[in-house]
Amino acid sequence: MPGIRLIGIKMTIYFDSNIPEFFNDISESVRAFYPHAAISREQTDADFILRLFLVYGEHKIIAEASFFRKNEISPDRTAEADFDVPAQYDSLLIKRLRKRAAKLAVFRLLSELTGIKLPWGSLTGIRPTKLIYERSGMSRAAIMDELINIYGVERQKVELLLKIKDAQEPYIHPEKDAVSLYIGIPFCRTRCVYCSFASIDATKGEKLIPGYMKALIKEIRAVSQMLRECHKRVRCLYIGGGTPTALDDGSFEELLFEASVFEPYCEYTVEAGRPDTISYKKLELIKRAGVQRISINPQSMNMRTLEIIGRRHTPEEIRSCFEMARTFDFKCINADIIAGLPGEDLDDFNYTLEKVRELSPQNITVHTLSIKKGSALAQILENKPAAQFNSERQVRLMVENARDVLENAGYDPYYLYRQKYQAGNLENVGYALHGLECVYNIDIMEESTDILALGAGGISKRIFPQNGRIERAPNCKNIIHYTERIDQMLDRKRALFLT
């Protein structure tokens, strides 16, 4: 087994540990090496045993990890990791150090066992930039040394994080009374095969739209009053989805009118998103509402791929939407593309990259395909899982080529996040021309600003920077539950922000 990645082979690993609360985190670390492994809390029928124990030395937290074959007494490999406990600490810091030691020990263990090198090393979290901000008092050389030699992150990825921190510097310290506000519209024209978001086909779910809009407008008005009571102002307003422009013209106009209650704001974004939902009328409404930034998201400029992933538009319609949007002189147009889409090779992706660049959007976001549970693509691949991983090296070349091409064209990386089940354990990166970064994207990713999220599936967050604590108030994901329980969700927001 050493040096071999068991792609496509299903196995069960029993997790034996004195820190069962980290089961989900450790499961993510294991699946980075064994993507199709089932991680179990029960030893019955397990093929392997992962034993992980935390022990405590003087002012140290030590994690010891071992990997056993079934019925074997001696482990195949062992590894450990330790962190010093500072003189001044609180319970949150101790929990963070315990988790990091555990994940690092497992990473070292499985790296030795398989011979696999992961681009992000032992890091599995959504926001690796947090490690950079936590080390703001250290030199860049010291940060590089720690992330490379302790956490196992590739040098290129650390350099990317440091570039992103530099790009975020003008935006990362908002005023104390500022919040960023998100309004979610969970409707699309069709559902992409890789999508697992809380969204439904706007044509099939048309009967749900009036009830949803009624509940959403109630939430908008209540949150507006709440902001006045807690003396907060909206820094960024972002309407996303789903696809907001999937709404009919009347509902869309009503949404923009109600959202105007949050003026003034520094930044206003609407995801126009899919070209098959964009019209001159909708762009006119968006411009009249004072929106500065929109998204037109191709994902691919290859017609065959668009058909495979369930997008009902053509590359020519994408070009036409860009031309139409330019007549309204928006400050910024963003375009999303995805590396690793089904059936695409490096040439296909490079073709998309070049054709999107020719459209001259001010922002380009490069996503790496994430095959999430609940998506149609995950179900398609369930019986032939190796297909998910065959192109890992190729997907990496796509991501690296995008970075080179975009930086050479004057775009700089300014925000980054990772997701579960991403091809090649890679990342999503937003690129922007200088001065045209999306502040909301920085706020939501770096969790440096309070977030009020309205609509089904929205998660509001209140940030307590003095101790790094974040408290949340989630909305129901299910659209019907959201409409029926809107008062309960408003109570959650009031409890979070008015107490």
Side-chain angles (χ1 to χ4, degrees):
M1 186 162 66
I4 299 174
R5 188 168 192 181
L6 303 179
I7 295 174
I9 297 176
K10 294 184 178 181
M11 59 181 178
T12 300
I13 298 173
Y14 166 52
F15 179 60
D16 179 24
S17 179
N18 65 347
I19 45 171
E21 66 270 24
F22 295 146
F23 176 82
N24 291 334
D25 300 281
I26 299 304
S27 295
E28 284 185 48
S29 297
V30 173
R31 289 196 189 97
F33 294 91
Y34 300 122
H36 311 295
I39 319 300
S40 175
R41 299 176 190 266
E42 304 294 333
Q43 189 168 357
T44 307
D45 298 326
D47 302 297
F48 300 94
I49 299 169
L50 172 61
R51 188 158 292 152
L52 176 66
F53 281 84
L54 277 188
V55 296
Y56 297 88
E58 186 177 2
H59 309 300
K60 274 188 181 297
I61 292 175
I62 305 168
E64 298 176 345
S66 304
F67 202 77
F68 295 78
R69 297 171 189 266
K70 185 179 181 180
N71 300 323
E72 293 287 332
I73 298 175
S74 300
D76 283 359
R77 287 286 192 282
T78 60
E80 70 173 42
D82 63 81
F83 286 100
D84 293 332
V85 177
Q88 300 295 323
Y89 63 86
D90 58 22
S91 60
L92 283 174
L93 176 60
I94 293 297
K95 180 180 179 181
R96 192 177 300 137
L97 292 176
R98 293 171 77 235
K99 184 188 294 187
R100 286 181 182 171
K103 290 168 62 177
L104 186 54
V106 170
F107 166 73
R108 289 173 174 171
L109 171 73
L110 297 182
S111 291
E112 292 179 17
L113 190 65
T114 64
I116 293 169
K117 303 298 181 185
L118 300 176
W120 288 97
S122 64
L123 306 186
T124 60
I126 294 173
R127 301 171 173 88
T129 45
K130 284 202 168 186
L131 285 176
I132 301 295
Y133 282 108
E134 287 175 10
R135 287 151 180 75
S136 58
M138 295 169 56
S139 70
R140 295 171 83 89
I143 292 172
M144 291 282 289
D145 180 68
E146 182 177 353
L147 265 63
I148 292 170
N149 295 316
I150 294 180
Y151 289 94
V153 183
E154 289 182 353
R155 175 175 295 274
Q156 185 186 59
K157 299 304 180 188
V158 183
E159 290 172 346
L160 176 60
L161 293 179
L162 291 169
K163 277 190 174 183
I164 287 171
K165 181 179 182 294
D166 290 342
Q168 292 179 351
E169 184 60 33
Y171 313 106
I172 202 68
H173 304 292
E175 300 87 343
K176 290 182 180 179
D177 65 345
V179 300
S180 278
L181 194 140
Y182 176 85
I183 300 176
I185 304 298
F187 299 98
C188 287
R189 284 283 174 85
T190 59
R191 191 175 181 86
C192 299
V193 295
Y194 49 76
C195 180
S196 65
F197 291 145
S199 62
I200 64 171
D201 187 323
T203 53
K204 293 179 181 177
E206 190 172 3
K207 64 180 181 298
L208 298 177
I209 292 176
Y212 182 81
M213 290 299 298
K214 182 178 179 181
L216 181 61
I217 289 168
K218 181 174 185 177
E219 189 174 22
I220 287 172
R221 294 175 180 176
V223 166
S224 174
Q225 175 60 33
M226 190 180 74
L227 287 171
R228 287 192 291 271
E229 291 177 30
C230 63
H231 307 290
K232 297 277 190 180
R233 64 172 188 82
V234 175
R235 159 175 157 104
C236 302
L237 173 58
Y238 192 105
I239 300 180
T243 308
T245 45
L247 295 174
D248 62 87
D249 287 354
S251 297
F252 187 65
E253 184 173 13
E254 183 180 30
L255 168 66
L256 295 175
F257 172 78
E258 292 290 339
S260 67
V261 73
F262 297 114
E263 292 180 344
Y265 21 70
C266 299
E267 180 184 276
Y268 190 179
T269 305
V270 171
E271 286 186 6
R274 295 170 56 142
D276 53 340
T277 70
I278 298 171
S279 65
Y280 189 91
K281 172 68 172 177
K282 285 198 169 76
L283 290 173
E284 188 177 47
L285 290 170
I286 291 170
K287 184 66 177 180
R288 192 189 308 159
V291 175
Q292 304 129 336
R293 309 174 62 95
I294 64 170
S295 292
I296 301 173
N297 299 329
Q299 316 300 19
S300 174
M301 293 295 280
N302 297 289
M303 188 64 223
R304 178 175 56 87
T305 305
L306 293 173
E307 291 172 348
I308 289 171
I309 65 176
R311 307 277 287 195
R312 292 182 183 170
H313 60 77
T314 67
E316 186 51 47
E317 287 176 306
I318 294 167
R319 296 184 188 96
S320 296
C321 283
F322 267 87
E323 291 173 5
M324 185 164 50
R326 281 200 193 91
T327 66
F328 290 92
D329 194 29
F330 290 106
K331 179 181 179 181
C332 179
I333 300 176
N334 173 76
D336 285 1
I337 61 175
I338 300 178
L341 286 170
E344 289 207 341
D345 59 19
L346 181 59
D347 288 341
D348 293 323
F349 177 78
N350 287 343
Y351 175 81
T352 290
L353 181 64
E354 180 59 29
K355 292 304 175 184
V356 168
R357 198 170 64 86
E358 288 175 2
L359 296 172
S360 300
Q362 288 80 12
N363 287 187
I364 298 178
T365 307
V366 180
H367 296 268
T368 304
L369 181 65
S370 174
I371 304 177
K372 299 178 183 177
K373 293 180 179 180
S375 69
L377 188 56
Q379 295 173 16
I380 291 169
L381 293 174
E382 188 173 355
N383 296 320
K384 43 181 179 179
Q388 179 178 349
F389 298 97
N390 284 342
S391 61
E392 280 193 2
R393 180 178 174 277
Q394 199 166 52
V395 175
R396 177 162 184 156
L397 290 174
M398 294 176 187
V399 169
E400 291 175 352
N401 188 55
R403 181 179 178 184
D404 291 341
V405 168
L406 293 176
E407 289 190 353
N408 287 335
Y411 296 85
D412 293 318
Y414 78 97
Y415 83 104
L416 177 152
Y417 67 103
R418 302 182 65 218
Q419 295 171 280
K420 294 180 181 179
Y421 315 114
Q422 279 193 291
N425 286 281
L426 291 164
E427 67 279 339
N428 306 318
V429 181
Y431 294 86
L433 298 178
H434 182 69
L436 292 170
E437 297 83 1
C438 178
V439 179
Y440 176 82
N441 284 337
I442 295 172
D443 284 353
I444 193 69
M445 286 305 151
E446 303 312 327
E447 297 183 321
S448 57
T449 306
D450 291 343
I451 301 290
L452 271 164
L454 286 61
I459 301 176
S460 298
K461 299 178 184 180
R462 188 173 176 187
I463 315 299
F464 296 86
Q466 62 272 21
N467 59 9
R469 182 166 54 96
I470 299 174
E471 293 188 6
R472 296 168 173 84
N475 280 358
C476 299
K477 291 183 179 180
N478 181 280
I479 292 172
I480 295 174
H481 293 168
Y482 170 79
T483 60
E484 292 175 343
R485 297 164 58 186
I486 186 62
D487 290 332
Q488 177 184 335
M489 286 172 278
L490 286 172
D491 287 342
R492 289 178 191 166
K493 284 184 173 62
R494 293 188 186 100
L496 183 60
F497 282 93
L498 295 178
T499 57

